[in-house]
Amino acid sequence: MLKVNNHTKYSLVAAIAALAAMGELYRLRSVLIEGLDKGLTIDELNSTFSYMVSYIGQPRVLNSLNVLKQICLQKLPNSCKLVEQQIKQTKITHLNTVNNNLSPQCLLVIKLGALAVDDNFTSQLQEHLAVCLDSQFEVAHINTVINSLAIKADIDVAMRANVSFAKLLAHA
């Protein structure tokens, strides 16, 4: 298994966040498999979903974790207990109790992917993109994440993020 580099990880978790937020479980499955094949760990994926509870809600997170559990049953049976524990914790806590195995930059792109899903969050998305830039993300890195959203998640999500980012850069 290849060790996933940060830029690939950021692109994958942003797409995972967007697909989970949209409830696109079939497409989420493919990106989760790709992420695992490229070196994302079960702990990182559990943390990704845990962090998303306050953005997309407990039901969507539980659905996404169940997709991850199904993948584990088929590909990584030794990891199923970790996902089952996360499902149990998510059902009990209803909060984003992140096991914080993720970098601050990774948490930023998860939020980017989740916010870009809905037109109602355009202003928050633009503010969040400004935070991303303030957090040492380069313009090229954010563009890579947005391009990944177009390829792996949804073109409308990517366009929403791209328009917000372009407006932000135009005012900078």
Side-chain angles (χ1 to χ4, degrees):
M1 186 176 335
L2 297 173
K3 177 100 170 105
V4 65
N5 70 43
N6 283 341
H7 302 301
T8 301
K9 180 187 296 188
Y10 299 153
S11 295
L12 287 167
V13 296
I16 288 167
L19 291 167
M22 292 186 301
E24 292 284 343
L25 301 180
Y26 182 78
R27 291 180 18 208
L28 174 63
R29 178 181 171 75
S30 327
V31 179
L32 286 171
I33 290 170
E34 179 183 354
L36 288 166
D37 288 346
K38 290 189 175 176
L40 283 175
T41 67
I42 296 299
D43 282 339
E44 289 171 324
L45 293 171
N46 276 341
S47 294
T48 296
F49 291 127
S50 176
Y51 181 67
M52 292 181 64
V53 170
S54 61
Y55 298 111
I56 69 171
Q58 183 192 31
R60 290 234 166 142
V61 167
L62 288 171
N63 288 340
S64 300
L65 283 166
N66 279 312
V67 170
L68 180 58
K69 180 181 171 185
Q70 292 169 0
I71 293 167
C72 286
L73 287 169
Q74 294 172 346
K75 295 184 114 200
L76 305 162
N78 294 338
S79 299
C80 279
K81 283 200 184 294
L82 293 172
V83 179
E84 288 169 350
Q85 289 169 347
Q86 188 64 48
I87 290 170
K88 187 180 292 186
Q89 181 180 352
T90 302
K91 284 180 180 177
I92 293 169
T93 63
H94 304 273
L95 300 171
N96 59 342
T97 52
V98 177
N99 183 355
N100 218 344
N101 294 326
L102 303 174
S103 69
Q105 290 83 5
C106 203
L107 296 174
L108 288 170
V109 296
I110 292 168
K111 188 173 178 181
L112 189 162
L115 287 173
V117 167
D118 193 328
D119 277 329
N120 294 319
F121 299 120
T122 302
S123 62
Q124 292 96 324
L125 175 60
Q126 193 167 350
E127 290 170 13
H128 183 67
L129 286 162
V131 171
C132 290
L133 282 176
D134 290 343
S135 298
Q136 316 268 315
F137 265 111
E138 295 178 17
V139 170
H141 296 151
I142 295 172
N143 281 327
T144 299
V145 170
I146 292 170
N147 288 338
S148 177
L149 288 172
I151 295 165
K152 298 183 184 310
D154 184 81
I155 192 68
D156 291 331
V157 170
M159 287 301 297
R160 198 170 293 114
N162 195 40
V163 167
S164 291
F165 194 44
K167 286 180 182 176
L168 174 68
L169 293 176
H171 292 110

